[in-house]
């Protein structure tokens, strides 16, 4: 226990750093994922191409490589931001590709006649998608979206390699101070477990309330 009690503030800073990365990147991923899913089912060909390219490139790019591209590449083009912001951009954009595919699969479960009926009533594509199709699709995509955000929380550990304060990075500080590395990783694992269980509990509540009955 002394590994935790003697370094509670260090673990606390890392834990809060991981929570911040997870929350901000999740919001960005959900917004971009919704936007790209809309593009992928849009009647405009150029939007479908853009959405498909976004998903294809990001899903097939290693996350570590994306971190290097964002954190080290963008400053070369004059975009200088705090490393935490760059980390949120990398995590959010990467995860948005998986959120997009989860939402698109949910949209495909909605009978085509629902959208056609909405358009026959004079609704635009955006209105039929936002008011008719997505509310029905949302019910079936709660579990996969939850799993994707849990993966995001664990993927945030990569940010520690780029000088961003997060939970996994605390092991370097404690190792330099001579603390037992095994117990350091045990408490780090407990921290990640708390975060992932909290996300899982949230989506379990959403699924019980709005999910499709199996």
């Amino acid at each position: 226990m002394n590994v935790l009690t003697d370094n509670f503030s260090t673990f606390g800073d890392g834990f809060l750093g991981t929570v911040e990365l997870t929350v901000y990147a999740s919001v960005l991923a959900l917004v971009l994922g919704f936007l790209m899913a809309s593009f992928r089912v849009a009647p405009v060909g150029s939007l479908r191409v853009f959405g498909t390219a976004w998903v294809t490139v990001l899903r097939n790019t290693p996350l570590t490589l994306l971190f290097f591209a964002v954190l080290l590449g963008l400053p070369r083009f004059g975009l200088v931001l705090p490393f935490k912001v760059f980390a949120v951009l990398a995590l959010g954009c990467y995860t948005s590709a998986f959120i997009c595919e989860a939402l698109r699969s949910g949209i495909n479960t909605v009978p085509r006649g629902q959208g056609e009926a909405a358009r026959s009533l004079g609704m635009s594509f955006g209105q039929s998608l936002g008011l008719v199709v997505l509310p029905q699709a949302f019910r079936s995509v709660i579990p996969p979206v939850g799993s994707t955000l849990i993966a995001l929380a664990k993927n945030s550990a990569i940010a520690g390699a780029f000088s961003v304060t997060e939970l996994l990075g605390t092991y370097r500080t404690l190792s330099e101070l001579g603390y037992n590395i095994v117990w350091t990783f045990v408490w780090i694992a407990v921290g990640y477990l708390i975060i992932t269980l909290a996300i899982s509990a949230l989506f379990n509540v959403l699924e019980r309330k709005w999910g499709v009955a199996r």
Side-chain angles (χ1 to χ4, degrees), residues 157-173:
I158 297 176
F162 297 90
S163 302
V164 177
T165 301
E166 52 79 42
L167 189 56
L168 183 61
T170 60
Y171 88 89
R172 288 191 297 270
T173 302

Side-chain angles (χ1 to χ4, degrees), residues 1-211:
M1 286 294 293
N2 67 308
V3 175
L4 177 64
T5 55
D6 293 350
N7 303 280
F8 193 80
S9 61
T10 301
F11 279 111
D13 290 341
F15 181 83
L16 291 177
T18 295
V19 170
E20 287 181 1
L21 283 174
T22 300
V23 171
Y24 294 146
S26 294
V27 172
L28 179 61
L30 290 170
V31 171
L32 289 176
F34 166 77
L35 186 62
M36 292 304 144
S38 301
F39 283 2
R40 294 210 66 185
V41 298
V44 181
S46 58
L47 293 180
R48 291 198 303 272
V49 170
F50 182 84
T52 301
W54 178 276
V55 170
T56 301
V57 170
L58 291 176
R59 288 185 71 189
N60 294 285
T61 300
L63 181 54
T64 304
L65 179 60
L66 186 60
F67 263 87
F68 275 110
V70 172
L71 276 79
L72 303 180
L74 292 182
R76 293 179 178 271
F77 295 94
L79 184 59
V80 180
L81 296 170
F83 270 17
K84 179 171 284 188
V85 176
F86 282 136
V88 168
L89 288 174
L91 280 169
C93 290
Y94 178 80
T95 308
S96 70
F98 297 90
I99 295 290
C100 168
E101 289 303 274
L103 290 175
R104 189 171 71 92
S105 67
I107 290 172
N108 289 337
T109 64
V110 179
R112 186 181 297 272
Q114 296 284 330
E116 294 174 350
R119 287 190 291 274
S120 71
L121 294 175
M123 290 186 179
S124 65
F125 169 76
Q127 289 175 322
S128 63
L129 184 66
L131 299 176
V132 177
V133 178
L134 277 178
Q136 298 180 67
F138 171 75
R139 299 177 62 201
S140 63
V141 302
I142 294 174
V145 168
S147 297
T148 302
L149 295 185
I150 288 174
L152 183 155
K154 293 182 287 187
N155 287 338
S156 67
I158 297 176
F162 297 90
S163 302
V164 177
T165 301
E166 52 79 42
L167 189 56
L168 183 61
T170 60
Y171 88 89
R172 288 191 297 270
T173 302
L174 301 186
S175 178
E176 292 171 359
L177 293 174
Y179 285 94
N180 187 306
I181 194 66
V182 174
W183 282 106
T184 298
F185 279 117
V186 166
W187 289 115
I188 289 173
V190 170
Y192 279 108
L193 186 63
I194 292 171
I195 294 171
T196 55
L197 287 178
I199 297 173
S200 179
L202 172 62
F203 277 85
N204 282 339
V205 170
L206 294 177
E207 187 175 11
R208 284 197 299 270
K209 187 170 184 179
W210 288 304

